[in-house]
Amino acid sequence: MLSIDRSIVDAIVAHARRDHPDEACGVVAGPAGSDTPTRHIPMDNAARSMTFYEFDSMEQLRVWREMDDRDEEPVVIYHSHTATEAYPSRTDISFAGEPGAHYLLVSTREPDTEEIRSFRIVDGVVTEEPVRIVDAGVDPHAVQSYMFGQSPATVDYECSGR
Amino acid sequence: MAIEVRIPTILRSYTGGAKVVEGAGDTLGDLLADLDSRHAGLRGRLVTEAGALHRFVNVYVNDEDVRFLGALDAKLNDGDSVTILPAVAGGAFGFAAAAAIAAQVSQRAALAAR
């Protein structure tokens, strides 16, 4: 399960809307080992594409070093799909190189509603997980849980046919 | 000649969990061969069968991306610091893009095998 503050989710969605129809991407860093995303870092999509995203390698080095210096890790790695569902593509799975991260996907294909889903991607296996959006500013105990989509919780991508 | 190499989480299974290891070599290719002698399998995660740097990783010498320094031919000096990071990329056009990458890789492998 991914627990994430509503203000961070709002900032991610705003970033995805801003860059639409290109894909948007970024990171939410958090203290190492905490599994808590606290610092939103929007990244440039060096591919500037509607169907592909890629961190700029120099920006990534700077951001990853900064996380290291602050004893943080990439808790969430997010990107948007702008015309399709918020589900990892084969390319997403091939590239997924942070086994500890929550891979958050936002679909901006509908202008009025966002589809937000979170996945673990380890050794080519995709596991969807619930997203718990925390309203820290209002009441720390007031939470809403979402589990989007009807796909099974674990999908072996070799057999998924996606 | 000692060169410090920073290993990302996903590859630490090859270094016994170590975040930083040391190696030697005049070029990045030499360094990776040297590392592989102590951390078997590490090189295979960074270099394709065709002998090119893998698309899924970024390798830096000090503050430079090695793709701009000659990739595996990038020259190294004593005291250099090499950083390996997983490339972060993907996108919706998954199947076609992944197929294109796979085709490119197998084509290179076929050429190398000749």
Side-chain angles (χ1 to χ4, degrees):
Chain A
M1 163 136 78
L2 168 65
S3 290
I4 184 167
D5 198 273
R6 181 176 298 280
S7 62
I8 296 173
V9 173
D10 289 348
I12 290 171
V13 169
H15 180 205
R17 288 285 177 207
R18 198 161 61 236
D19 286 9
H20 184 94
D22 283 351
E23 294 194 2
C25 54
V27 175
V28 190
S34 71
D35 201 32
T36 303
T38 54
R39 191 165 66 90
H40 174 216
I41 310 162
M43 303 283 285
D44 280 340
N45 177 1
R48 296 192 194 291
S49 160
M50 297 191 286
T51 54
F52 194 70
Y53 81 96
E54 183 169 30
F55 284 7
D56 174 80
S57 67
M58 295 315 295
E59 183 182 29
Q60 188 189 348
L61 178 65
R62 200 170 62 242
V63 167
W64 255 244
R65 277 199 181 146
E66 193 180 68
M67 285 193 284
D68 220 33
D69 291 344
R70 298 167 63 123
D71 203 19
E72 291 175 333
E73 59 192 4
V75 178
V76 171
I77 294 175
Y78 72 88
H79 75 281
S80 63
H81 286 177
T82 58
T84 55
E85 67 173 328
Y87 191 89
S89 67
R90 275 177 184 257
T91 321
D92 295 335
I93 296 161
S94 309
F95 272 95
E98 292 285 358
H102 301 266
Y103 284 87
L104 190 75
L105 275 90
V106 179
S107 174
T108 54
R109 64 178 164 177
E110 301 292 341
D112 304 322
T113 56
E114 289 82 29
E115 190 189 3
I116 299 163
R117 294 166 72 178
S118 183
F119 305 86
R120 296 286 191 167
I121 308 176
V122 180
D123 293 333
V125 178
V126 177
T127 308
E128 182 159 14
E129 60 182 359
V131 179
R132 180 167 166 266
I133 297 178
V134 184
D135 281 305
V138 182
D139 173 0
H141 302 294
V143 298
Q144 276 183 294
S145 293
Y146 295 102
M147 178 82 184
F148 290 98
Q150 285 78 47
S151 51
T154 303
V155 176
D156 175 354
Y157 87 101
E158 287 295 348
C159 307
S160 69
R162 280 174 192 272
Chain B
M1 188 166 103
I3 295 160
E4 180 190 274
V5 184
R6 304 185 77 83
I7 306 290
T9 312
I10 195 166
L11 297 179
R12 286 180 201 157
S13 54
Y14 296 96
T15 60
K19 197 173 170 178
V20 179
V21 297
E22 284 201 346
D26 292 330
T27 64
L28 179 62
D30 293 345
L31 172 71
L32 296 182
D34 175 56
L35 290 179
D36 203 65
S37 67
R38 289 183 301 284
H39 309 290
L42 182 62
R43 185 179 177 280
R45 294 295 300 272
L46 304 172
V47 178
T48 65
E49 284 176 25
L53 197 59
H54 226 295
R55 180 78 179 78
F56 304 120
V57 289
N58 292 335
V59 181
Y60 307 85
V61 176
N62 302 321
D63 293 331
E64 298 278 346
D65 185 331
V66 297
R67 289 194 177 89
F68 304 115
L69 299 174
L72 292 172
D73 296 327
K75 294 277 180 288
L76 298 176
N77 292 300
D78 197 11
D80 278 346
S81 171
V82 170
T83 303
I84 303 168
L85 293 182
V88 183
F93 200 37
F95 185 73
I101 291 167
Q104 207 177 22
V105 168
S106 63
Q107 197 176 25
R108 282 205 205 120
L111 286 174
R114 271 181 204 168

